[in-house]
Amino acid sequence: MLQQNIKNHICKHQLAWILTELLDEAEIVDLEVQCAIHDDPMPSDSRSVNWVVRNLSDAFFLQENAQRVVHECLVQKTERAIRRIGYMDVQEIQTFMGNCAHLVEGGDFTEIVWALLIDSRLDVQQHGQKLLNQYERSVDEIANFCSLTRTERGAEVDEIHQTVQAPPDEPTQIPTAVAIPDPETEERLLELQQTVDQLNDDSAALKAENETLKEELQRSVQENEDFRDKEHRFMEQDIHIQQLQLKIHNLTRQVEKMSNQSTRVNAVHKAAQTEYAVGLKAFDEFVYTSNQTFEQMQTDFQSHTAELKKFSEISQTALQHARDKVEQLFSQHESRQNLQNRVLDGQPSVGVFVDVQNMFYAAKDRYAGRVDYIKLLDLIVGPRELVVAYAYVVQIPEINQSGFLSLLEHNGYTIKSKDLRLRGDGTAKGDWDVGIAIDIVSMLEALDVVILASGDGDFCALAELIKQQGKRVEVVAFEHNTSMDLQRMADQFYPIGDELLI
């Protein structure tokens, strides 16, 4: 959707600079034709590319059709940056895209700035304007457009001033020594002399008025420059204030959290003092009963050990029976050679199983980035037939992942999520190892290739089981975070590099 308020966050010369950065000469001329600014498809000597770009920038701010056409063209050129920013929150954008020099060095500064300016979120637009203003102050490239425009317009204004200031030809004074042939001629000469005097007075007034207008014009230009500088400073101060407000909010939450913890500690300390007094009084009785309890525990431990040993033997027998049953069932299916023949005859069926938690922390700890799951799916599946793509997510109450999950669902993933569980000792647990293994084993008959997106070494036994059934196992993960045993067990290992990070 076209953001109408983009005009409030960008100047004409800044838009002209963006057009020259994103479009080549042919695209600029074609865009001019689409906007119906000029009918000639090729620039002439009197119409340079910069001249065309300035016309497009002026039309963008004056004509709705030109604004729509220019916007659609720039959206197509910055589609990738728009898609990246679309599923990032404001804090992530300011963290990963707040360094102007880093973005310029990466070569995608202009695309990211335009994507920020047309975003529907006001704070994102302001961040884009801040980056553009920082870059404009650091280099002369954008300022050249402004200077050129002012020079041309100044020439026109000077030409008008010269026209206004040009004094009329001095009227020729009528000689007083001329002989007046008659009273009528004398009266006519007097009238002409009065007219000349009036024209001289008017000329002097026009000169004074012209000087006043020139001074007012210079003051207006200076005031306009001062206003723009103040506007830039106010924008930067506003962004700084927002950042300070966010820090104050975070500090307030930390203070409240520490206050609650202090209250709980005081309560626990008071209860401990009471329990200590009671326990000290009954200490002698406790020592006596403890000895008796210890002896009874020794007896119970020996009894439980014997029972556990017997249970272990029974379990081993049952497990072996189950393994024999599984091997018998899978022996009825096609062998590895049949699988290879099937791959040659047609495209193999693929199942993708992504451990999101494992991938997230591996990318964050080593690269301070995030995995592009859309590109990941396209790369590892290729031309093969995708049967299912599961993404296993652990929901953390403090983090809103709805946007991220919606993005995955719209790009071919089936989401499986569970809440983070808190233990009694204060630690937390949240993993999908068992759930992933169950899903793979239950779907193994319908798959030719199992792709596991995780570097966890606990999946080695699962990979061995899959290969025993004549299926292909492929692993995609960060090389530094992947078990060596799992890499050796896989038929194909895809190491994740910078091309899959955002």
Side-chain angles (χ1 to χ4, degrees), residues 31-46:
L31 188 61
E32 179 194 24
V33 175
Q34 294 183 37
C35 295
I37 298 177
H38 201 280
D39 295 331
D40 186 3
M42 294 297 294
S44 63
D45 295 338
S46 60

Side-chain angles (χ1 to χ4, degrees), residues 89 107 137:
D89 57 34
R137 287 194 299 272

Side-chain angles (χ1 to χ4, degrees), residues 47-173:
R47 294 173 58 248
S48 64
V49 175
N50 289 340
W51 186 87
V52 176
V53 168
R54 291 198 302 275
N55 276 1
L56 287 173
S57 178
D58 292 338
F60 181 87
F61 284 84
L62 298 176
Q63 302 176 13
E64 293 185 0
N65 177 62
Q67 183 179 1
R68 177 183 57 79
V69 173
V70 171
H71 175 79
E72 291 177 353
C73 178
L74 293 180
V75 166
Q76 293 178 358
K77 303 294 283 188
T78 59
E79 181 178 0
R80 181 174 177 271
I82 294 172
R83 197 172 67 180
R84 287 176 57 190
I85 292 171
Y87 59 84
M88 296 176 68
D89 57 34
V90 178
Q91 189 172 5
E92 289 176 328
I93 291 173
Q94 294 177 348
T95 299
F96 295 106
M97 298 182 178
N99 190 329
C100 179
H102 177 71
L103 295 176
V104 173
E105 183 179 356
D108 54 358
F109 173 78
T110 311
E111 292 86 344
I112 290 177
V113 166
W114 180 256
L116 293 173
L117 290 173
I118 66 172
D119 193 88
S120 59
R121 295 165 289 185
L122 178 59
D123 42 7
V124 175
Q125 298 172 15
Q126 293 175 348
H127 183 66
Q129 184 183 20
K130 176 185 175 183
L131 289 177
L132 185 57
N133 291 336
Q134 288 177 350
Y135 183 73
E136 183 176 4
R137 287 194 299 272
S138 64
V139 297
D140 298 330
E141 189 172 351
I142 302 179
N144 289 337
F145 286 95
C146 182
S147 300
L148 182 60
T149 304
R150 289 174 184 167
T151 302
E152 294 173 352
R153 293 178 178 175
E156 296 176 0
V157 172
D158 291 342
E159 182 179 354
I160 296 173
H161 287 174
Q162 292 173 5
T163 303
V164 174
Q165 293 175 354
D169 295 337
E170 292 294 334
T172 304
Q173 296 290 334

Side-chain angles (χ1 to χ4, degrees), residues 257-396:
K257 184 177 180 180
M258 294 177 64
S259 177
N260 294 334
Q261 291 177 350
S262 177
T263 303
R264 289 196 296 269
V265 169
N266 291 334
V268 171
H269 179 67
K270 186 175 181 180
Q273 286 181 332
T274 304
E275 292 178 358
Y276 176 74
V278 175
L280 184 63
K281 184 178 180 181
F283 180 72
D284 292 336
E285 182 180 356
F286 172 78
V287 171
Y288 174 77
T289 56
S290 295
N291 292 330
Q292 293 182 337
T293 304
F294 179 74
E295 293 175 356
Q296 182 64 36
M297 289 175 63
Q298 284 183 326
T299 303
D300 294 341
F301 177 77
Q302 293 174 355
S303 175
H304 288 323
T305 301
E307 292 178 1
L308 288 173
K309 184 176 181 180
K310 183 178 179 180
F311 179 77
S312 177
E313 294 175 353
I314 296 174
S315 298
Q316 290 290 340
T317 303
L319 180 59
Q320 185 61 40
H321 178 72
R323 286 177 176 175
D324 294 339
K325 185 65 175 178
V326 169
E327 291 178 358
Q328 180 181 359
L329 291 173
F330 279 113
S331 63
Q332 299 174 2
H333 297 283
E334 57 186 344
S335 63
R336 183 181 294 273
Q337 184 61 39
N338 291 335
L339 172 62
Q340 294 176 352
N341 292 335
R342 201 164 98 195
V343 171
L344 293 174
D345 294 338
Q347 297 297 342
S349 57
V350 177
V352 178
F353 304 85
V354 180
D355 187 350
V356 175
Q357 297 300 113
N358 183 275
M359 304 292 282
F360 172 80
Y361 287 108
K364 179 180 179 182
D365 294 341
R366 186 63 175 267
Y367 298 98
R370 295 172 58 183
V371 177
D372 190 338
Y373 293 97
I374 302 172
K375 187 182 294 183
L376 173 70
L377 187 62
D378 294 337
L379 178 63
I380 62 180
V381 175
R384 298 177 291 189
E385 177 186 0
L386 178 63
V387 177
V388 68
Y390 282 138
Y392 299 87
V393 180
V394 177
Q395 295 279 10
I396 302 175

Side-chain angles (χ1 to χ4, degrees), residues 2 85 104 159 164-165 176 183 185 188 242 339 395 462 494 496:
L2 179 59
I85 292 171
V104 173
E159 182 179 354
V164 174
Q165 293 175 354
T176 55
T185 303
R188 180 58 178 165
Q242 292 179 2
L339 172 62
Q395 295 279 10
L462 175 63
Y494 299 101
I496 296 178

Side-chain angles (χ1 to χ4, degrees), residues 461-473:
L462 175 63
E464 182 178 5
L465 176 62
I466 295 171
K467 295 181 68 174
Q468 289 176 356
Q469 309 311 314
K471 308 293 184 177
R472 180 177 175 84
V473 179

